Amino acid sequence: MLLLILGKGKTGSIVAHVARERGHSVRVLDRENAGASALTAPTLANVDAVIDFTNAEAAVENMRACLALGARIVVGTTGWYNQLNEMKALALRRNGGLLYGTNFSLGVNELFKMTADLAELKGYTFSIEETHHTAKLDAPSGTALTLKEIILAKQPEAQVEITSKREGEASGLHVITASSPSETLTLRHESFDRRGFAEGAVRAAEWLAGKSGVWEFREIFEKL
């Protein structure tokens, strides 16, 4: 496969490395793609999938350009979901492929499943704590917001407090606590580096190649 990686940041660089390890040809675009200007029909002609780890503003521009040309794009960037419906409509209209997620770690997506089970408990209060590196701009994290969304889907009246911390080079810690007057139950996931995110994103791109439609990563991760 030929994969096009958008972004040369810490995660994007690891994604490119993992993709090469898995036997794929890789191209990387960074500053030369300002305003999605490099995402033209000739550039995308032989690309099996695009992987975006940029920022929210750039990701929207990249999705518009790729999906308008019927390309397949995996989006690991967060913070753009207020425009999700627009991106879904464009993908479906132009027969493109969009696979997005707040976290591409397979372990975190298993945590999402476990949180859905935990949220079935009645008579408990729920809280979420997340810790990331100081360079992470969004707080709460997209993963924490997804965890809250999962709990509220089971118990719409629940009050779910999120505590966000930004410390050093922390790659990602999420703790979900369910408490009752008589006991506490905790789910915890900690990432030690970005490789788990990168591996999930590359495997997602492998899955998406040749497909048209829109999926959230947690819907399909067990198929990888």
Side-chain angles (χ1 to χ4, degrees), residues 35 52 54-64 77-80 83:
D52 183 291
T54 56
N55 58 61
E57 181 180 354
V60 170
E61 294 173 336
N62 293 337
M63 280 184 280
R64 284 198 183 109
T77 306
T78 58
W80 57 272
Q83 294 171 277

Side-chain angles (χ1 to χ4, degrees), residues 52-138:
D52 183 291
F53 277 95
T54 56
N55 58 61
E57 181 180 354
V60 170
E61 294 173 336
N62 293 337
M63 280 184 280
R64 284 198 183 109
C66 290
L67 296 173
L69 292 168
R72 279 77 184 155
I73 183 167
V74 173
V75 184
T77 306
T78 58
W80 57 272
Y81 296 127
N82 60 324
Q83 294 171 277
L84 177 58
N85 288 338
E86 177 191 344
M87 297 302 112
K88 285 181 176 180
L90 179 59
L92 298 174
R93 187 166 67 248
R94 302 308 294 265
N95 206 34
L98 172 60
L99 178 54
Y100 67 96
T102 56
N103 196 309
F104 280 81
S105 158
L106 298 183
V108 166
N109 280 272
E110 190 63 37
L111 179 69
F112 290 157
K113 284 182 56 182
M114 296 169 69
T115 299
D117 291 337
L118 185 68
E120 298 279 3
L121 291 171
K122 304 299 183 184
Y124 286 71
T125 59
F126 300 91
S127 63
I128 299 166
E129 180 179 317
E130 58 99 352
T131 305
H132 285 84
H133 53 86
T134 54
K136 186 171 179 60
L137 298 178
D138 54 326

